Amino acid sequence: MVATKDVTITEDRIQQFAQASDDFNPVHMDEAFASKTAYRGRIAHGLLSASFGSAVVGTILPGAGAIYLSQSLAFHKPVRIGDVVRAQITVASVDAESARVVLRTEGYVGDDMIMEGEATVRVPRRRRPAKA
C-alpha cells in the first residue's frame, strides 16, 4: 500500500512553520544571510517537508487515529520556496497483534529524493462485531 500527498512550499508556509516551531534560523528566514551560506539562498525547514508525511499518515494511510511512535529521517537535498514536495508513505510491515505498522517515508521534489526514513505508528484496533 502506498499513499502520496503533494504540497507546494510557500513563503506563508515557511512563516507559519517558523511560528509554530519557534525556529527562526536565518537560513530559512533571511535571504541576505542565506545567500552567503552553502545553500546560496533560503531553504525550507527540513521538518516542514517531513511534516507532510505526517499529514499522509494521519489522514490517508493508515489514516484517522494513527499515532506516530517513532520516525527516522535522512535529508538529501534542500527544498526552496516554489518547490512541490511529494510525501510518499509505503507500508513496510504490519503487526496486527500490537496494532503497529512500519512505514517507509520518502519525500521528492520532481524525481529527486529529498528525504527518506522509517516510521512506526500505532493504528486503532478494529472493534470485533458484537455477538448476537
Side-chain angles (χ1 to χ4, degrees), residues 2-102:
V2 179
T4 62
K5 181 176 184 70
D6 292 346
V7 181
T8 301
I9 300 297
T10 63
E11 176 68 33
D12 191 48
R13 282 188 189 277
I14 289 173
Q15 293 292 332
Q16 289 177 359
F17 190 84
Q19 288 291 328
S21 65
D22 208 26
D23 179 356
F24 295 94
N25 182 336
V27 76
H28 307 306
M29 312 304 291
D30 181 345
E31 184 62 39
F33 176 90
S35 68
K36 297 174 186 160
T37 69
Y39 300 108
R40 303 206 187 282
R42 288 174 62 198
I43 60 172
H45 302 75
L47 290 179
L48 170 59
S49 296
S51 73
F52 306 143
S54 178
V56 175
V57 168
T59 63
I60 303 170
L61 180 69
I67 301 295
Y68 263 89
L69 299 176
S70 66
Q71 171 75 59
S72 67
L73 282 172
F75 295 97
H76 302 300
K77 295 188 175 194
V79 175
R80 301 181 187 280
I81 293 171
D83 285 347
V84 176
V85 174
R86 183 175 73 250
Q88 181 171 301
I89 303 298
T90 305
V91 174
S93 67
V94 176
D95 183 343
E97 189 68 28
S98 67
R100 293 179 184 208
V101 178
V102 175

Side-chain angles (χ1 to χ4, degrees), residues 99-118:
R100 293 179 184 208
V101 178
V102 175
L103 306 168
R104 175 146 176 81
T105 60
E106 298 169 314
Y108 295 88
V109 171
D111 292 332
D112 293 330
M113 179 181 279
I114 58 160
M115 65 187 163
E116 64 182 321
E118 183 178 275

